[in-house]
Amino acid sequence: MKNITKSAALKKIKELEEYINKIDKPLELEDYNFRINSDGWKKFTKNDQDYLVNSEEDVWELINCKNQELNGEQLFTWDAAIREAKKVGKRVPTDEELTEVLKTKEDIPNALLAGYRAVAGGFNYSGSSANVWSSSQYSSTTAWSRTLYSGYSTPTRTTFAKGNGFSLRCLKD
């Protein structure tokens, strides 16, 4: 057996304890949708609705909404969702994790039906549905997501093109 110092052994024990605590912790989604700072973004209007868009043109923010609670909601392409969550140490749930934690609409607290931004540029279903990305890819161009519809109690598991703009709900730390 290899000789190690007491401090090295204690450090390893602490690392193992942190790992065990992490895997024993139940999965939970954060209480609100993920957001990034939109200062300096470009404003545009489409179909009488104002939006902001980031410089990469892969994150959109709803502003000046008739439905006030949707103001500030952001829609991310799949690549932007993964990139921006990673920047701040957050984790986007996998498809399997979403299946585990998201059985009904009540499992996603403070869900706002912001709709989605289609790859072609249209904004659809604001106020009647919300799509949430998972981190799991189905193919090189599509990824798994969940759709919440206003009239249904259970989310729908679907794949969509990664270029669509969806809401993002990360896992709690």
Side-chain angles (χ1 to χ4, degrees):
M1 184 165 182
K2 182 177 158 185
N3 288 336
I4 61 172
T5 65
K6 183 177 179 181
S7 64
L10 291 172
K11 182 180 176 187
K12 273 291 185 204
I13 290 170
K14 183 178 180 186
E15 288 172 3
L16 285 170
E17 286 174 341
E18 288 173 0
Y19 175 75
I20 289 168
N21 287 337
K22 196 176 204 176
I23 62 173
D24 280 347
K25 187 177 178 183
L27 289 175
E28 285 184 273
L29 295 172
E30 290 192 334
D31 292 333
Y32 295 94
N33 287 344
F34 182 79
R35 288 183 37 83
I36 59 176
N37 185 328
S38 60
D39 291 347
W41 289 11
K42 185 175 81 178
K43 181 181 174 184
F44 70 99
T45 302
K46 186 152 187 138
N47 298 330
D48 296 323
Q49 171 59 56
D50 293 333
Y51 299 91
L52 297 175
V53 62
N54 69 342
S55 59
E56 294 90 349
E57 297 189 356
D58 59 3
V59 182
W60 302 267
E61 181 173 316
L62 287 77
I63 59 171
N64 303 323
C65 297
K66 292 175 187 135
N67 181 349
Q68 295 282 320
E69 69 179 2
L70 294 179
N71 283 326
E73 281 302 297
Q74 294 180 339
L75 305 172
F76 297 78
T77 64
W78 185 85
D79 289 325
I82 302 303
R83 177 188 73 231
E84 296 298 332
K86 186 177 181 178
K87 278 184 187 178
V88 295
K90 296 289 183 181
R91 196 162 73 75
V92 179
T94 65
D95 180 53
E96 294 81 18
E97 289 168 335
L98 276 179
T99 297
E100 182 180 330
V101 300
L102 195 53
K103 306 271 190 237
T104 70
K105 279 196 289 192
E106 287 72 37
D107 295 328
I108 189 162
N110 307 302
L112 294 175
L113 303 176
Y116 74 97
R117 183 204 181 262
V119 174
F123 290 84
N124 304 305
Y125 301 107
S126 180
S128 63
S129 74
N131 296 69
V132 179
W133 285 121
S134 83
S135 62
S136 301
Q137 298 180 71
Y138 178 76
S139 71
S140 63
T141 59
T142 61
W144 288 103
S145 67
R146 296 300 182 280
T147 304
L148 309 170
Y149 295 103
S150 60
Y152 297 90
S153 61
T154 57
T156 304
R157 178 181 183 247
T158 49
T159 61
F160 279 97
K162 294 178 184 178
N164 284 302
F166 290 173
S167 297
L168 178 58
R169 188 67 67 108
C170 296
L171 291 170
K172 285 186 178 180
D173 295 329

